[in-house]
Amino acid sequence: QVQLVESGGGFVQAGGSLRLSCAASGRTFSSYAMGWFRQAPGKEREFVAAIQRNGGSTDYSDSVKGRFTISRDNAKNTLYLQMNSLKPEDTAVYYCAATTLYDASDGSSYRAAPFYDYWGQGTQVTVSS
Protein backbone atom coordinates (compact mmCIF):
# COMPACT_ATOMS: atom_id res chain seq x y z
CA GLN A 1 0.00 0.00 0.00
CA VAL A 2 0.97 3.66 -0.17
CA GLN A 3 0.84 6.53 2.32
CA LEU A 4 0.02 10.00 1.02
CA VAL A 5 0.76 13.35 2.67
CA GLU A 6 -0.39 16.64 1.15
CA SER A 7 1.22 20.01 1.72
CA GLY A 8 1.25 23.49 0.24
CA GLY A 9 -2.21 24.68 1.14
CA GLY A 10 -2.83 28.10 2.62
CA PHE A 11 -4.55 31.43 2.34
CA VAL A 12 -4.33 33.42 -0.89
CA GLN A 13 -6.14 36.31 -2.52
CA ALA A 14 -8.22 35.84 -5.64
CA GLY A 15 -6.03 35.76 -8.72
CA GLY A 16 -3.11 34.30 -6.79
CA SER A 17 -1.36 30.95 -7.10
CA LEU A 18 -0.51 27.97 -4.94
CA ARG A 19 1.27 24.71 -5.59
CA LEU A 20 0.14 21.64 -3.72
CA SER A 21 2.38 18.64 -3.23
CA CYS A 22 1.54 15.07 -2.31
CA ALA A 23 4.41 12.95 -1.02
CA ALA A 24 3.99 9.21 -1.37
CA SER A 25 5.74 6.45 0.54
CA GLY A 26 5.44 2.70 0.51
CA ARG A 27 4.77 0.77 -2.65
CA THR A 28 6.28 2.00 -5.94
CA PHE A 29 4.74 5.37 -6.73
CA SER A 30 4.80 4.81 -10.48
CA SER A 31 2.42 1.88 -10.14
CA TYR A 32 -0.43 4.22 -9.17
CA ALA A 33 -2.61 6.51 -11.19
CA MET A 34 -3.14 9.65 -9.13
CA GLY A 35 -5.87 12.20 -8.65
CA TRP A 36 -6.69 15.42 -6.85
CA PHE A 37 -10.12 15.96 -5.32
CA ARG A 38 -11.54 18.74 -3.20
CA GLN A 39 -14.35 19.18 -0.72
CA ALA A 40 -15.90 22.47 0.33
CA PRO A 41 -17.98 22.79 3.51
CA GLY A 42 -21.43 21.31 3.04
CA LYS A 43 -20.58 19.90 -0.37
CA GLU A 44 -19.63 16.50 -1.73
CA ARG A 45 -16.07 15.64 -2.63
CA GLU A 46 -15.46 16.54 -6.26
CA PHE A 47 -12.92 15.60 -8.90
CA VAL A 48 -10.26 18.16 -9.78
CA ALA A 49 -7.59 16.42 -11.88
CA ALA A 50 -6.04 13.05 -12.63
CA ILE A 51 -2.78 11.82 -14.12
CA GLN A 52 -1.72 8.45 -15.45
CA ARG A 53 1.17 6.38 -14.15
CA ASN A 54 3.77 7.70 -16.56
CA GLY A 55 2.42 11.25 -16.51
CA GLY A 56 1.59 11.04 -20.19
CA SER A 57 -2.14 11.62 -19.85
CA THR A 58 -4.02 14.11 -17.71
CA ASP A 59 -7.65 15.06 -17.16
CA TYR A 60 -9.29 18.07 -15.53
CA SER A 61 -12.70 19.11 -14.37
CA ASP A 62 -14.24 21.89 -16.42
CA SER A 63 -14.10 24.22 -13.42
CA VAL A 64 -10.28 24.17 -13.24
CA LYS A 65 -9.26 23.46 -16.83
CA GLY A 66 -6.83 26.08 -18.07
CA ARG A 67 -6.01 27.28 -14.53
CA PHE A 68 -4.70 24.16 -12.77
CA THR A 69 -1.94 21.78 -13.86
CA ILE A 70 -1.39 18.30 -12.45
CA SER A 71 2.03 16.71 -12.71
CA ARG A 72 4.13 14.04 -11.07
CA ASP A 73 7.77 13.24 -10.48
CA ASN A 74 8.07 9.47 -10.14
CA ALA A 75 11.75 9.74 -9.16
CA LYS A 76 10.73 11.90 -6.18
CA ASN A 77 7.52 9.99 -5.40
CA THR A 78 5.61 13.25 -5.52
CA LEU A 79 2.40 14.49 -7.11
CA TYR A 80 1.79 18.20 -7.72
CA LEU A 81 -1.10 20.52 -8.41
CA GLN A 82 -0.18 23.98 -9.68
CA MET A 83 -3.15 26.29 -9.14
CA ASN A 84 -3.21 29.65 -10.89
CA SER A 85 -5.85 32.38 -11.18
CA LEU A 86 -7.47 31.14 -8.01
CA LYS A 87 -11.08 32.05 -7.30
CA PRO A 88 -13.03 32.14 -4.02
CA GLU A 89 -15.01 29.12 -5.25
CA ASP A 90 -11.76 27.11 -5.24
CA THR A 91 -11.80 27.26 -1.43
CA ALA A 92 -11.85 23.68 -0.14
CA VAL A 93 -9.85 20.92 1.46
CA TYR A 94 -7.76 19.33 -1.28
CA TYR A 95 -6.99 15.62 -1.22
CA CYS A 96 -4.63 13.52 -3.27
CA ALA A 97 -5.59 9.94 -4.03
CA ALA A 98 -3.98 6.86 -5.54
CA THR A 99 -5.43 3.90 -7.38
CA THR A 100 -4.04 0.58 -8.54
CA LEU A 101 -7.02 0.07 -10.85
CA TYR A 102 -7.02 0.52 -14.61
CA ASP A 103 -9.76 2.03 -16.72
CA ALA A 104 -9.54 0.23 -20.04
CA SER A 105 -12.33 2.28 -21.58
CA ASP A 106 -12.51 6.06 -21.85
CA GLY A 107 -10.71 6.91 -18.62
CA SER A 108 -13.75 8.46 -17.02
CA SER A 109 -13.43 6.18 -14.00
CA TYR A 110 -10.50 8.26 -12.78
CA ARG A 111 -12.99 11.08 -12.09
CA ALA A 112 -14.81 8.97 -9.48
CA ALA A 113 -13.68 9.03 -5.86
CA PRO A 114 -14.62 5.35 -5.23
CA PHE A 115 -12.11 4.34 -7.94
CA TYR A 116 -9.25 5.32 -5.62
CA ASP A 117 -7.81 3.04 -2.97
CA TYR A 118 -5.71 5.44 -0.90
CA TRP A 119 -6.20 9.00 0.30
CA GLY A 120 -4.18 11.66 2.03
CA GLN A 121 -5.40 13.65 5.01
CA GLY A 122 -6.06 16.80 2.97
CA THR A 123 -4.73 20.34 2.92
CA GLN A 124 -6.86 23.48 3.25
CA VAL A 125 -6.91 26.07 0.48
CA THR A 126 -8.68 29.35 1.21
CA VAL A 127 -9.11 32.01 -1.48
CA SER A 128 -10.33 35.42 -0.41
CA SER A 129 -12.20 37.80 -2.69
Side-chain angles (χ1 to χ4, degrees), residues 4-94:
L4 304 172
V5 179
E6 301 97 335
S7 62
F11 184 92
V12 64
Q13 290 187 332
S17 299
L18 284 174
R19 187 173 84 154
L20 305 183
S21 297
C22 172
S25 60
R27 185 176 165 181
T28 306
F29 180 62
S30 60
S31 65
Y32 296 93
M34 302 295 296
W36 285 101
F37 290 76
R38 66 187 182 186
Q39 188 166 17
K43 295 187 176 181
E44 293 187 354
R45 192 168 298 190
E46 66 170 353
F47 169 75
V48 174
I51 188 167
Q52 290 308 310
R53 289 159 176 80
N54 62 2
S57 177
T58 58
D59 186 26
Y60 299 91
S61 67
D62 288 344
S63 62
V64 307
K65 192 175 297 182
R67 300 187 298 123
F68 291 13
T69 302
I70 188 172
S71 62
R72 66 191 295 164
D73 186 335
N74 287 344
K76 295 183 178 180
N77 294 341
T78 305
L79 175 73
Y80 303 100
L81 185 69
Q82 178 67 44
M83 305 186 295
N84 298 328
S85 303
L86 283 160
K87 304 175 181 180
E89 51 264 44
D90 295 318
T91 295
V93 177
Y94 283 71

Side-chain angles (χ1 to χ4, degrees), residues 82-124:
Q82 178 67 44
M83 305 186 295
N84 298 328
S85 303
L86 283 160
K87 304 175 181 180
E89 51 264 44
D90 295 318
T91 295
V93 177
Y94 283 71
Y95 299 89
C96 66
T99 181
T100 57
L101 302 178
Y102 286 84
D103 182 345
S105 59
D106 62 359
S108 60
S109 296
Y110 296 109
R111 291 179 166 231
F115 200 67
Y116 291 82
D117 307 301
Y118 304 101
W119 293 82
Q121 83 290 347
T123 185
Q124 175 72 46

